Amino acid sequence: KAGVTQTPRYLIKTRGQQVTLSCSPISGHRSVSWYQQTPGQGLQFLFEYFSETQRNKGNFPGRFSGRQFSNSRSEMNVSTLELGDSALYLCASTPTDTDTQYFGPGTRLTVL
Amino acid sequence: AQSVTQPDIHITVSEGASLELRCNYSYGATPYLFWYVQSPGQGLQLLLKYFSGDTLVQGIKGFEAEFKRSQSSFNLRKPSVHWSDAAEYFCAVGRSGGGADGLTFGKGTHLIIQP
């Protein structure tokens, strides 16, 4: 089976812009979670989607949003980018909410 | 609130030597515990997990970890490290596998292998 794929792998934006990141889970996996990884804060949970519904959200401002499509692919969007949004954004998928998460390679976002 | 502490930010080990990475957690219920490894520029790869049962769990690449409830610890061990083990290691805790409400990660331990 193909693993979790994320596109693009690298992205450079400027402050104030918005960005959309994409995640394709492993085939058959219905749950998709997003994490932000920074040197200062480490890995932090952003939100999780299951069957197109957001079930849980971490402690992030409303500028961070996401959605999931009927084929389980997910996108996350960050509006009005700030310098502090520069990070590696990781996506993870599981077949159900009790199974182990499998992570993608991440999207490296740089905000200038 | 749940938390994970990895006390060692960096660890340097000679190739062929044994390794132990420490992890302490704080969690209100029976935890699900994980160790992930991250190589530069890569995502996270699962090394092993503990859900229940035998407290000594075996993982990939020759790693093992022991769950000690009394010490709230889940330390990762390997009897003989290889240069390819150089990476960042993360311990994580959750209510389940992580799908429903995410995992809480430690800040990571950077493993350096000396020749």
Side-chain angles (χ1 to χ4, degrees):
Chain A
K1 270 187 182 177
V4 178
T5 58
Q6 293 188 245
T7 57
R9 292 293 310 277
Y10 302 92
L11 207 49
I12 299 175
K13 293 286 187 179
T14 57
R15 278 181 298 175
Q17 287 187 310
Q18 74 166 13
V19 67
T20 299
L21 313 180
S22 180
C23 171
S24 293
I26 294 171
S27 177
H29 288 197
R30 297 170 62 191
S31 167
V32 174
S33 299
W34 289 89
Y35 291 81
Q36 181 195 64
Q37 185 178 21
T38 60
Q41 298 300 315
L43 280 151
Q44 295 183 285
F45 172 70
L46 278 159
F47 32 64
E48 186 262 355
Y49 287 86
F50 186 87
S51 294
E52 302 179 63
T53 300
Q54 185 184 91
R55 296 192 298 182
N56 212 339
K57 183 176 168 66
N59 188 25
F60 280 82
R63 299 186 297 107
F64 291 82
S65 63
R67 59 177 175 169
Q68 187 181 34
F69 302 95
S70 59
N71 62 357
S72 294
R73 190 178 70 85
S74 177
E75 290 181 345
M76 69 162 282
N77 184 79
V78 188
S79 62
T80 319
L81 284 165
E82 301 177 359
L83 295 178
D85 297 333
S86 294
L88 181 67
Y89 290 88
L90 294 164
C91 167
S93 74
T94 68
T96 70
D97 61 351
T98 57
D99 287 310
T100 304
Q101 291 187 313
Y102 294 90
F103 285 81
T107 294
R108 171 75 62 185
L109 172 65
T110 302
V111 182
L112 302 176
Chain B
Q2 59 205 49
S3 65
V4 176
T5 302
Q6 294 180 246
D8 304 305
I9 298 174
H10 300 277
I11 281 189
T12 300
V13 178
S14 299
E15 190 169 15
S18 63
L19 170 71
E20 182 170 31
L21 302 183
R22 296 182 291 165
C23 171
N24 292 97
Y25 67 90
S26 173
Y27 197 73
T30 300
Y32 284 62
L33 293 159
F34 307 83
W35 275 98
Y36 284 89
V37 61
Q38 185 178 38
S39 298
Q42 302 296 313
L44 300 175
Q45 181 183 24
L46 178 69
L47 285 175
L48 48 79
K49 60 189 178 186
Y50 172 78
F51 286 0
S52 64
D54 192 348
T55 57
L56 184 64
V57 293
Q58 303 297 320
I60 63 171
K61 303 185 179 185
F63 286 93
E64 66 177 27
E66 186 172 11
F67 170 58
K68 293 185 177 180
R69 185 186 300 275
S70 62
Q71 298 177 22
S72 297
S73 69
F74 188 57
N75 294 347
L76 181 71
R77 301 194 293 251
K78 186 170 185 178
S80 177
V81 298
H82 186 262
W83 64 266
S84 60
D85 293 325
E88 192 84 16
Y89 290 80
F90 294 93
C91 181
V93 67
R95 179 177 63 85
S96 64
D101 47 14
L103 297 176
T104 298
F105 285 86
K107 290 295 180 72
T109 296
H110 184 59
L111 177 63
I112 301 166
I113 307 296
Q114 281 184 335

